[in-house]
């Protein structure tokens, strides 16, 4: 089992330059940041978690800037998007951004992506809610082509570009792992088709792991890693390990330095027996 820590990297949160080395010292394997480019003031789309949307959703820094700071301030912890709203981003620029962070971090980047939930947010970027999953797949496929081909090209229905040159290439080969977020009816099919891992954050995800692995076998793939955002209890760690979850990710508050460090220390005490017993591993 691996353990990650996540945060909305707000303008009033703990500095990523302090959080990354602290999490690394406590034995966490990865540091994840959420992304929202903005939140439309209309607030028509309901928050999937229910209730009022917390203000940190519209105070997040750009994830690649935040993760570059984290990478420069640390040595071994992996830096990751959880999730990057790729449907709202240009795939060519994003391919370069991911490859650049992977380069400066010496191959420590994990690319978590998702299709999002806020219709108005994605509409402001010209993205249609009804076709967002198709757009996401094509953007992932296009980005992988840029990463892995010296002269890359891609021709889909929604994303297309002629042969081109684009460097740097990622340090990780063939490319940084792409983890797909979500837990909808078709998510397992999508993970098997174009992702390197599954990263659900709610719903009956654990019960679906056997189905995911069976679909992977049928497609000629090996076991697909699963990362999950669970309740912060030791008993839950045991349950998830038995279910086949590879990584547990826990949020720390985005409301200030003291709150984040207090939560980080609490989480560190919980995972310490698993880290010390070798049940988790750091990136090298």
């Amino acid at each position: 089992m691996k353990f990650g820590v996540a945060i909305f990297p707000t303008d009033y949160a703990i500095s990523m330059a302090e959080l990354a080395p602290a999490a690394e010292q406590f034995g966490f394997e990865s540091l994840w940041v959420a992304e929202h480019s903005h939140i439309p003031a209309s607030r028509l789309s309901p928050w999937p978690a229910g209730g009022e949307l917390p203000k940190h959703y519209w105070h997040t820094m750009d994830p690649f800037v935040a993760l570059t700071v984290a990478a420069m301030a640390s040595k071994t912890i992996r830096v990751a998007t959880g999730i990057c709203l790729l449907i709202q981003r240009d795939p060519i620029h994003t391919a370069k951004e991911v490859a650049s962070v992977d380069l400066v971090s010496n191959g420590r980047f994990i690319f978590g992506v998702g299709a999002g939930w806020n219709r108005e947010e994605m509409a402001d970027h010209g993205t249609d809610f009804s076709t967002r999953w198709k757009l996401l797949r094509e953007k992932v496929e296009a980005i992988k082509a840029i990463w892995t081909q010296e002269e890359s090209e891609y021709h889909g229905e929604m994303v297309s570009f002629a042969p081109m040159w684009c460097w740097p290439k990622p340090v990780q080969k063939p490319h940084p792992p792409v983890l797909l977020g979500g837990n909808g009816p078709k998510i397992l099919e999508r993970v098997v088709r174009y992702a390197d891992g599954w990263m659900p954050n709610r719903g009956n995800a654990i019960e679906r792991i056997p189905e995911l692995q069976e679909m992977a076998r049928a497609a000629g793939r090996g076991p697909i890693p699963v990362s999950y955002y669970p309740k912060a209890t030791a008993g839950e760690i045991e349950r998830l390990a038995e279910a086949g979850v590879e990584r547990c990710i826990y949020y720390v508050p985005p409301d200030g330095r003291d709150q984040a460090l207090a939560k980080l220390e609490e989480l560190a005490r919980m995972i310490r027996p698993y880290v010390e017993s070798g049940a988790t591993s750091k990136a090298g």
Side-chain angles (χ1 to χ4, degrees):
M1 179 72 74
K2 301 174 184 177
F3 298 97
V5 61
I7 193 170
F8 279 71
T10 66
D11 49 334
Y12 48 83
I14 184 174
S15 166
M16 298 298 287
E18 183 174 11
L19 178 60
E24 181 175 89
Q25 184 176 6
F26 278 128
F28 288 93
E29 170 262 355
S30 49
L31 174 58
W32 303 72
V33 298
E35 176 184 33
H36 280 279
S37 62
H38 69 293
I39 296 295
S42 68
R43 292 297 302 114
L44 296 176
S45 293
W47 183 31
E52 289 295 319
L53 186 71
K55 73 172 186 177
H56 55 250
Y57 274 75
W58 60 91
H59 277 263
T60 54
M61 295 172 56
D62 178 89
F64 297 103
V65 172
L67 293 175
T68 297
V69 173
M72 294 297 92
S74 59
K75 296 180 179 179
T76 62
I77 196 168
R78 304 202 70 169
V79 292
T81 51
I83 58 173
C84 171
L85 290 171
L86 183 56
I87 59 162
Q88 299 176 180
R89 287 179 164 270
D90 175 82
I92 300 173
H93 278 306
T94 305
K96 182 178 287 287
E97 287 175 317
V98 172
S100 297
V101 180
D102 198 56
L103 178 65
V104 301
S105 68
N106 194 27
R108 289 186 276 145
F109 193 85
I110 303 172
F111 193 33
V113 301
W117 56 269
N118 194 311
R119 292 172 181 258
E120 295 74 47
E121 180 183 356
M122 61 186 75
D124 286 345
H125 292 277
T127 298
D128 188 326
F129 185 84
S130 65
T131 57
R132 71 196 191 285
W133 283 105
K134 181 177 182 179
L135 179 64
L136 178 63
R137 174 181 57 79
E138 291 195 4
K139 287 189 174 183
V140 169
E141 292 173 348
I143 286 173
K144 286 185 176 181
I146 294 172
W147 286 340
T148 59
Q149 300 170 14
E150 289 199 14
E151 187 173 283
S152 56
E153 65 179 303
Y154 183 84
H155 301 286
E157 294 182 31
M158 305 184 76
V159 178
S160 183
F161 49 81
M164 67 176 196
W165 303 317
C166 181
W167 263 258
K169 303 298 185 184
V171 172
Q172 296 179 81
K173 303 302 178 187
H175 52 71
V178 177
L179 276 58
L180 183 59
N183 193 22
K186 297 182 180 180
I187 192 64
L188 302 186
E189 174 186 330
R190 292 168 175 144
V191 170
V192 172
R193 181 173 181 178
Y194 61 88
D196 304 302
W198 184 31
M199 189 171 57
N201 64 349
R202 60 176 58 91
N204 63 333
I206 306 309
E207 292 78 6
R208 301 181 72 182
I209 293 177
E211 180 185 1
L212 171 67
Q213 304 305 0
E214 179 56 39
M215 292 174 66
R217 284 191 292 271
R221 296 190 55 176
I224 294 178
V226 177
S227 299
Y228 190 63
Y229 293 78
K231 297 178 180 178
T233 66
E236 189 72 349
I237 293 174
E238 300 288 352
R239 184 179 77 89
L240 296 176
E242 292 178 3
V245 171
E246 178 194 64
R247 177 187 291 114
C248 291
I249 306 170
Y250 305 101
Y251 272 102
V252 298
D255 301 323
R257 175 181 182 273
D258 293 344
Q259 298 92 321
L261 290 177
K263 185 63 176 181
L264 188 65
E265 291 182 18
E266 175 189 327
L267 293 169
R269 287 193 296 270
M270 182 185 68
I271 72 167
R272 186 172 296 124
Y274 305 92
V275 174
E276 292 176 348
S277 68
T280 183
S281 62
K282 286 188 177 181

